[in-house]
């Protein structure tokens, strides 16, 4: 029993070190693609990338600006590379991928991933006699236990042979989120409900802290957007319409002499 506990502890430490080293490697080599060579590699890549994205989100929240915003978006783009978007029209790739990554992050962060070493492709015990690793054939599909989240091998296209979160997982990820959002997080997260937090923020010109101070009624979601965003949109539309009317009246009464001042 003591040896078993020691083995489990060693595996857990190995997994944590892998995630930490992966985050460091991606930070130093931003062009390094995520490892998608097996279900284990893809899952661990997703965990490492989202951990780095969480740190970048906290940095952006504390110091909003174009630099910290781009850094947080860079991690999201890398996480999107783990999704099978072959069934999604190219024009919708960015929008679908951005939302799917957040929802998948929300779901997986609430799962009890008890032993990542049992995922296909994870390092196995070595044979005592030879000291070589036991070769195990990888399945074409692997499902996270007790969930509908599937990592499948791509069979056609430019990414043939890679293991990505399957297209049917992308279709059902919102349903998974709705079913699991009341459960507590099992992993560190940058927000109490990241998906709802992301729906509230918009770019770096409006700091996250400002948005968080808004009253709760203004954060109600209406047609997939926060109510305060609709209010701002209407106010800006009214302002622009008023300026157009004013400029129109000015051009009707002012004499045009062809000078730069007149054009201005």
């Amino acid at each position: 029993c003591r040896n078993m506990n020691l083995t489990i502890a060693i595996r857990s430490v190995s997994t944590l070190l892998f995630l930490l080293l992966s985050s460091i490697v991606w930070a130093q080599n931003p062009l390094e693609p995520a490892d998608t060579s097996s279900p284990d590699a893809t899952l661990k890549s997703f965990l490492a990338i989202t951990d780095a994205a969480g740190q970048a989100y906290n940095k952006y929240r504390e110091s909003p600006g174009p630099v910290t915003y781009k850094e947080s978006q860079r991690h999201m783009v890398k996480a999107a590379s783990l999704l099978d978007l072959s069934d999604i029209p190219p024009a919708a790739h960015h929008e679908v991928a951005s939302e799917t990554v957040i929802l998948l992050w929300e779901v997986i962060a609430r799962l009890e991933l008890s032993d990542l070493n049992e995922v296909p492709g994870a390092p196995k015990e070595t044979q005592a006699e030879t000291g070589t690793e036991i070769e195990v054939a990888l399945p074409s599909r692997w499902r996270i236990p007790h969930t509908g989240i599937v990592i499948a091998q791509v069979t056609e296209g430019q990414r043939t042979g890679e293991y990505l979160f399957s297209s049917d997982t992308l279709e059902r990820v919102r349903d998974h989120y709705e079913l699991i959002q009341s459960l507590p997080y099992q992993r560190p997260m940058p927000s109490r409900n990241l998906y709802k937090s992301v729906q509230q923020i918009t770019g770096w010109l409006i700091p996250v802290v400002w948005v968080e101070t808004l009253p709760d009624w203004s954060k109600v979601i209406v047609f997939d957007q926060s109510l305060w965003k609709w209010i701002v949109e209407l106010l800006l539309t009214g302002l622009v319409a008023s300026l157009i009317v004013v400029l129109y009246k000015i051009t009707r009464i002012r004499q045009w002499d062809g000078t730069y001042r007149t054009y201005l």
Side-chain angles (χ1 to χ4, degrees), residues 19-60:
L19 298 178
L20 178 61
L21 291 175
S22 297
S23 300
I24 294 175
V25 168
W26 288 322
Q28 295 176 345
N29 303 285
L31 296 181
E32 183 72 24
D35 187 358
T36 57
S37 58
S38 68
D40 171 74
T42 299
L43 179 59
K44 287 180 178 176
S45 293
F46 185 84
L47 295 177
I49 294 172
T50 50
D51 283 349
Q55 297 174 10
Y57 177 87
N58 288 330
K59 188 183 299 183
Y60 164 68

Side-chain angles (χ1 to χ4, degrees), residues 85-176:
L85 299 169
S86 58
D87 291 341
I88 306 299
H93 276 192
H94 176 72
E95 181 179 357
V96 172
S98 299
E99 182 179 43
T100 301
V101 167
I102 297 296
L103 291 172
L104 196 59
W105 186 359
E106 282 274 12
V107 173
I108 292 180
R110 289 180 164 88
L111 300 177
E112 293 185 7
L113 302 175
S114 56
D115 193 353
L116 293 178
N117 292 284
E118 298 301 323
V119 182
K124 301 299 181 182
E125 295 290 339
T126 59
Q127 294 179 350
E129 303 91 308
T130 62
T132 59
E133 290 188 358
I134 302 174
E135 294 291 337
V136 179
L138 295 177
S140 59
R141 294 169 61 89
W142 176 78
R143 179 170 58 86
I144 297 180
H146 312 296
T147 74
I149 301 174
V150 174
I151 298 176
Q153 189 176 35
V154 180
T155 58
E156 58 183 14
Q158 296 182 347
R159 308 195 65 179
T160 299
E162 296 186 53
Y163 283 86
L164 306 175
F165 288 96
S166 65
S167 56
D168 54 333
T169 296
L170 272 59
E171 291 179 5
R172 298 197 299 265
V173 67
R174 182 183 287 272
D175 296 333
H176 297 331

Side-chain angles (χ1 to χ4, degrees), residues 4 6 9 23 40 61 67 78 87 102 115 125 133 135 139 156 161 175 204-205 212-213 227 231 255:
M4 183 179 297
L6 179 60
S23 300
D40 171 74
R61 181 183 178 278
V67 176
K78 188 176 286 289
D87 291 341
I102 297 296
D115 193 353
E125 295 290 339
E133 290 188 358
E135 294 291 337
E156 58 183 14
D175 296 333
W204 59 269
L205 289 175
E212 292 176 346
T213 59
L227 180 59
I231 294 175
Q255 294 294 327

